[in-house]
Amino acid sequence: EASRGRASAATAVPVEQGPLRALQKEVQRFRKELDRLESKEQQRRLDPREEDDIEEARRDAQKTAEELTARSVRLKQSEAALERQRAQVRAKAEEASLKKLEASTQKAECQRIQGEIIELQGEERTTLGRAQQLEREAASLAKAYERHKETCFVYGAAILRSSGPTSKLGNQDLERRSLRRGVDALIETLASRFGWPEVAFLRLDRRGSGRLGAQELRMGLLIGAGVDFPAITGLTAEALFSAIDWRSAGFITAADLAACRPDIWREFGAAALEVEEKVRALPWLALGGARKAFQDALSSQNSSLKWSDFEMV
């Protein structure tokens, strides 16, 4: 029986780590106790008085072996439950790690998209600024186009009127001449001679730069326009320049000359432009001549010309 008890205890208690280590120690202690009992059994054969003690010790040892076996089963069950819990914890940890990795990836993607949004916003601001700049440039070009178109009309009309039988641009009626002095006398002289401020500025601007300083104004009046401004105005070129440069830009243009005393320009200047003069002043040579442009427009419109088509021509 003691041998069977040792065999049962030996098979029930494998060498494991963790909570079974204590049970293994108890099994070893129990083996030592069995060995001691066997030695007593051998002594009992020699000494019958100890038989009862050995039997009682055997029963205690069997009971202890059964208890140890039950404890080993319970410990194995607890160990299996713990292993299942560890597996669940590992699965949850892996799931959390995957979620953390996914969150990190999503965060990096969000940061990349945010960077792209910031870059696109910068490009949008740049494009908006460029669009506003282009709008200002377009408006400036439109104004310049209208200004140059009016200048073209004026130059064309001046050429047509100066080549006519009267060859008269401004109002040179001496009876209407006043006794003005200063810049008013200068504008009256220029208006009566050249008719329009653009034509007068063309004569003053000997270099063709589109701008005049005080010295250029002096030479333009004396040489270009042939105006003895000191005798007519009683002022120096610097004083006249300051009166015409109402913007204080440091230079004057044809627009500044036209803005100076517009009432005198209207009174002593040339008559208003006629439609015929404007049409004749158009750059028809760029289209091969006025006749060719008109014929081309007619041929493309089945021998009929609408106002929009004429305006396009």
Side-chain angles (χ1 to χ4, degrees):
E1 289 178 357
S3 298
R4 285 196 302 271
R6 286 199 306 272
S8 174
T11 56
V13 185
V15 178
E16 295 183 7
Q17 301 293 331
L20 293 181
R21 185 178 292 274
L23 182 60
Q24 182 181 7
K25 292 181 179 180
E26 291 189 17
V27 170
Q28 291 176 354
R29 182 182 62 80
F30 180 65
R31 284 177 179 176
K32 292 179 179 180
E33 182 69 19
L34 287 178
D35 292 338
R36 186 181 65 80
L37 291 176
E38 285 180 355
S39 63
K40 284 186 177 183
E41 178 67 17
Q42 293 175 358
Q43 292 177 2
R44 185 188 65 79
R45 291 174 184 175
L46 300 175
D47 189 1
R49 291 176 300 179
E50 296 182 357
E51 182 178 357
D52 294 335
D53 296 337
I54 293 173
E55 184 66 24
E56 184 178 359
R58 183 182 296 114
R59 288 194 298 270
D60 293 340
Q62 184 177 2
K63 183 177 180 181
T64 303
E66 291 175 355
E67 290 178 355
L68 290 174
T69 303
R71 288 180 60 186
S72 176
V73 172
R74 288 195 300 270
L75 286 174
K76 286 185 177 181
Q77 292 176 352
S78 300
E79 187 68 21
L82 288 175
E83 185 62 28
R84 289 193 296 271
Q85 291 180 358
R86 291 192 192 99
Q88 293 177 356
V89 170
R90 284 195 298 269
K92 290 181 179 180
E94 291 178 358
E95 183 179 0
S97 178
L98 291 176
K99 289 183 178 180
K100 184 177 180 180
L101 180 61
E102 183 179 359
S104 177
T105 304
Q106 292 178 352
K107 183 178 180 180
E109 183 67 16
C110 290
Q111 291 177 351
R112 185 185 65 80
I113 294 175
Q114 186 68 23
E116 291 181 356
I117 291 175
I118 294 174
E119 184 177 356
L120 290 175
Q121 289 176 348
E123 292 179 358
E124 182 181 5
R125 288 192 295 269
T126 303
T127 304
L128 182 60
R130 180 58 179 166
Q132 293 176 352
Q133 181 181 358
L134 290 176
E135 289 177 357
R136 291 192 296 269
E137 291 179 0
S140 177
L141 289 174
K143 291 180 180 179
Y145 168 75
E146 293 296 331
R147 185 171 64 253
H148 290 308
K149 183 175 67 174
E150 292 297 327
T151 303
C152 179
F153 290 155
V154 167
Y155 290 166
I159 294 173
L160 292 175
R161 294 184 185 184
S162 61
S163 61
T166 58
S167 183
K168 179 180 178 182
L169 295 180
N171 186 356
Q172 300 179 6
D173 188 358
L174 297 178
E175 293 181 357
R176 297 184 59 187
R177 298 292 296 272
S178 63
L179 299 178
R180 291 185 176 94
R181 298 289 290 176
V183 69
D184 292 351
L186 176 63
I187 299 300
E188 181 179 332
T189 301
L190 294 177
S192 61
R193 288 191 184 183
F194 305 108
W196 295 277
E198 293 84 2
V199 178
F201 190 84
L202 181 65
R203 299 297 298 271
L204 297 177
D205 188 12
R206 299 171 59 247
R207 297 185 305 164
S209 62
R211 295 182 177 184
L212 294 177
Q215 187 63 26
E216 289 84 3
L217 178 62
R218 179 198 307 273
M219 301 305 295
L221 288 173
L222 293 175
I223 300 176
V227 176
D228 186 6
F229 68 89
I232 296 174
T233 64
L235 297 176
T236 62
E238 289 74 11
L240 293 173
F241 178 83
S242 299
I244 299 174
D245 184 20
W246 58 275
R247 298 179 297 121
S248 299
F251 60 87
I252 60 175
T253 62
D256 296 325
L257 189 61
C260 183
R261 307 298 191 270
D263 53 336
I264 300 178
W265 281 109
R266 287 193 297 268
E267 182 180 357
F268 293 93
L273 293 174
E274 299 177 358
V275 176
E276 181 181 357
E277 292 175 328
K278 291 184 178 182
V279 173
R280 289 172 65 90
L282 292 174
W284 295 109
L285 291 178
L287 301 176
R291 182 181 297 275
K292 186 177 184 303
F294 188 77
Q295 291 176 351
D296 292 342
L298 285 178
S299 62
S300 63
Q301 297 296 330
N302 297 324
S303 300
S304 62
L305 188 63
K306 300 178 181 179
W307 166 252
S308 59
D309 303 324
F310 177 75
E311 188 177 20
M312 184 178 296
V313 173

